[in-house]
Amino acid sequence: MRFSTLLLTAGLLVGLPTLTRAQTFTDPGAYNNFIVSEQRAMLKKNLRYISKSAHSDNEKKVDAKRQDLIKQTELSLNKIGRLPAFQDDKGFKDQTTDAILALLKIYSEDYKAVDMLAATRTATVENMEQYFRLQEIAEAKLQVVNDSVDAAQHRFAQRHGMTLSEDPEGKRLAEYMRQVSEVNSYQHKVYLAQFRIEKATARLTDALSAQDPAAFEVARLQLMEDSKTATTELATITPFRGKDARYRDAARNLVKFYGSFAATQAAQMKPLMERKNQLTKAEADQMNAHINLYNTQNQKLAAAYNQAGNAFQATYIPVFND
């Protein structure tokens, strides 16, 4: 997802003008560059929002970045809206204006829905799926908007005998956006597969704390089923970019442990829980050994999984600083 950041190459292009009032351009390159400068201002705000979303769990700070993005988009819409057509060529300006209006709707409605769902995304697998789906829908809409502006810009350049080339700054921003989409798509698959076991795991530990063998058994069977589903999903995920499997493997190791524990140790714990007041010392020691194994391995593998996820984000979605 990106905006058009192409600059016209011509001998007369010596910088990007600023607009203090409705301005008339006589050079098509300067006219294009003015529109591109506003696109870039919006893009940078969008990248700050995306970067904050990727690297922060603070929902208020994330939404503050979204509000900054909306303000910048409204400002750019106002500037381009007051821009007259270039030599009666309304296509580029009108298409850009329509695109910015579409962006405002995406930022105000689609991304707002994403951020609102963030608070409840961990409630169910369905919520998490919807959360990721909304993100991907918003990204797809941004791409459609971008393509429409690109097409209008190329028509404008052709009509006025100009050549388009991508400048280094525009290329850098576009590459960041490309990485964001690529990483998000991959991480959504891994995270969602692992997330499938979260609820059954929580129910299992809750039942153990409550010494409720019936609830423990229900959670154990669910955890076995969910682990199988997660294992199947993770098996279809190839290493990122064909070589980096650390995040996927960390998720797979965690899921494998839960599935194995539910099938073996937890199965042995249920009858012991049912006789909790008549346990022999050997049986009590066995129960404690199962619990210690769970705590030790769960802590180790969960920490490795979280660390791998953070490293994956940090490696492939660097913090955006402009």
Side-chain angles (χ1 to χ4, degrees), residues 39-250:
Q39 290 177 310
R40 181 167 298 169
M42 291 185 291
L43 177 57
K44 287 184 176 181
K45 290 288 186 180
N46 193 21
L47 292 177
R48 293 190 194 105
Y49 166 64
I50 290 171
S51 179
K52 181 63 69 175
S53 297
H55 296 282
S56 175
D57 290 326
N58 189 315
E59 294 165 15
K60 290 185 178 180
K61 289 184 177 180
V62 171
D63 192 62
K65 293 297 183 183
R66 185 179 67 85
Q67 295 296 337
D68 285 345
L69 172 58
I70 290 174
K71 290 177 182 177
Q72 177 60 58
T73 306
E74 290 173 338
L75 178 62
S76 295
L77 177 63
N78 182 50
K79 287 184 177 182
I80 294 178
R82 292 189 289 122
L83 187 67
F86 182 80
Q87 297 179 359
D88 295 327
D89 186 346
K90 298 180 180 180
F92 186 25
K93 183 250 185 178
D94 287 352
Q95 185 62 57
T96 302
T97 302
D98 290 344
I100 297 175
L101 284 170
L103 292 176
L104 269 177
K105 186 173 182 180
I106 293 170
Y107 301 144
S108 300
E109 298 178 11
D110 293 75
Y111 277 122
K112 182 180 180 180
V114 171
D115 291 346
M116 288 179 66
L117 189 57
T120 60
R121 66 185 184 274
T122 59
T124 65
V125 172
E126 291 73 22
N127 277 21
M128 186 61 74
E129 287 179 320
Q130 178 67 0
Y131 175 71
F132 288 153
R133 189 177 302 114
L134 289 177
Q135 283 186 328
E136 291 165 1
I137 288 172
E139 288 184 8
K141 287 182 179 180
L142 287 177
Q143 185 61 56
V144 171
V145 170
N146 171 73
D147 291 345
S148 70
V149 175
D150 276 354
Q153 187 181 39
H154 279 81
R155 288 193 296 270
F156 178 83
Q158 186 175 20
R159 287 170 186 156
H160 299 283
M162 305 299 291
T163 302
L164 295 171
S165 67
E166 194 167 37
D167 70 302
E169 176 68 359
K171 186 176 181 179
R172 181 181 76 88
L173 297 177
E175 175 59 20
Y176 186 95
M177 297 297 281
R178 187 196 65 77
Q179 290 184 52
V180 167
S181 293
E182 180 188 21
V183 171
N184 281 349
S185 178
Y186 187 87
Q187 190 161 35
H188 290 175
K189 295 176 184 177
V190 175
Y191 186 91
L192 188 59
Q194 184 278 331
F195 183 73
R196 292 191 182 280
I197 65 174
E198 293 286 337
K199 295 305 176 183
T201 303
R203 293 190 184 102
L204 189 79
T205 56
D206 288 345
L208 177 61
S209 297
Q211 289 293 291
D212 185 340
F216 186 84
E217 180 65 5
V218 170
R220 183 185 76 83
L221 294 175
Q222 187 64 55
L223 182 55
M224 287 180 59
E225 181 180 341
D226 291 346
S227 296
K228 290 179 181 177
T229 301
T231 298
T232 300
E233 291 180 356
L234 288 167
T236 67
I237 301 174
T238 59
F240 185 68
R241 295 179 180 171
K243 59 182 180 180
D244 191 341
R246 290 172 295 177
Y247 179 49
R248 182 207 62 186
D249 288 351

Side-chain angles (χ1 to χ4, degrees), residues 3 126 214 291 295:
F3 299 144
E126 291 73 22
I291 294 173
N295 289 338

